[in-house]
């Protein structure tokens, strides 16, 4: 049986965290399209034919700009049976949505 003895450190090879050549080349190629892709996502976010396309594009932009959300959105949703159950902040947000997003 050959190889290094148990307990001895590994020598040679790539440093931990260093990308292999193929991964490095693919990442570099993908990054060369970064600005154009972000512009396309922005166009879709603002002009997508469906709300689903717009939301998906917005999410992708936000994920890249601010990182993915750590808490699921559903955690902030609560059951509202009537308008009387809503807080002032929720009513204001609803009014803004009506003005901006219909």
């Amino acid at each position: 049986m050959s190889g290094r003895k148990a307990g001895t450190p590994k020598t040679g090879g790539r440093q931990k965290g260093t990308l292999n050549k193929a991964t490095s080349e693919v990442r570099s190629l993908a990054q060369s399209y970064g600005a154009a892709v972000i512009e396309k996502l922005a166009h879709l976010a603002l002009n997508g034919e469906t709300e689903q396309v717009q939301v998906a594009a917005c999410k992708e932009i936000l994920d890249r700009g601010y990182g993915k959300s750590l808490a699921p959105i559903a955690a902030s949703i609560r059951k509202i049976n009537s308008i009387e159950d809503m807080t002032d902040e929720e009513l204001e947000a609803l009014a803004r949505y009506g003005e901006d997003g219909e």
Side-chain angles (χ1 to χ4, degrees), residues 4 34 37 42:
R4 60 186 167 91
V37 171

Side-chain angles (χ1 to χ4, degrees), residues 16-74:
K16 186 175 184 177
T18 302
L19 301 175
N20 65 32
K21 185 177 179 184
T23 303
S24 180
E25 289 173 358
V26 169
R27 181 174 282 181
S28 178
L29 180 61
Q31 287 176 348
S32 72
Y33 291 100
V37 171
I38 293 295
E39 285 180 27
K40 181 67 174 180
L41 281 171
H43 176 77
L44 290 171
L46 299 174
N47 305 303
E49 289 189 25
T50 66
E51 283 188 7
Q52 186 177 8
V53 168
Q54 293 172 352
V55 168
C58 288
K59 182 182 179 312
E60 292 299 324
I61 291 170
L62 291 174
D63 285 352
R64 280 151 183 75
Y66 297 98
K68 293 189 179 198
S69 175
L70 299 177
I73 293 173

Side-chain angles (χ1 to χ4, degrees), residues 3-11:
R4 60 186 167 91
K5 293 181 182 178
T8 59
K10 177 181 175 184
T11 59

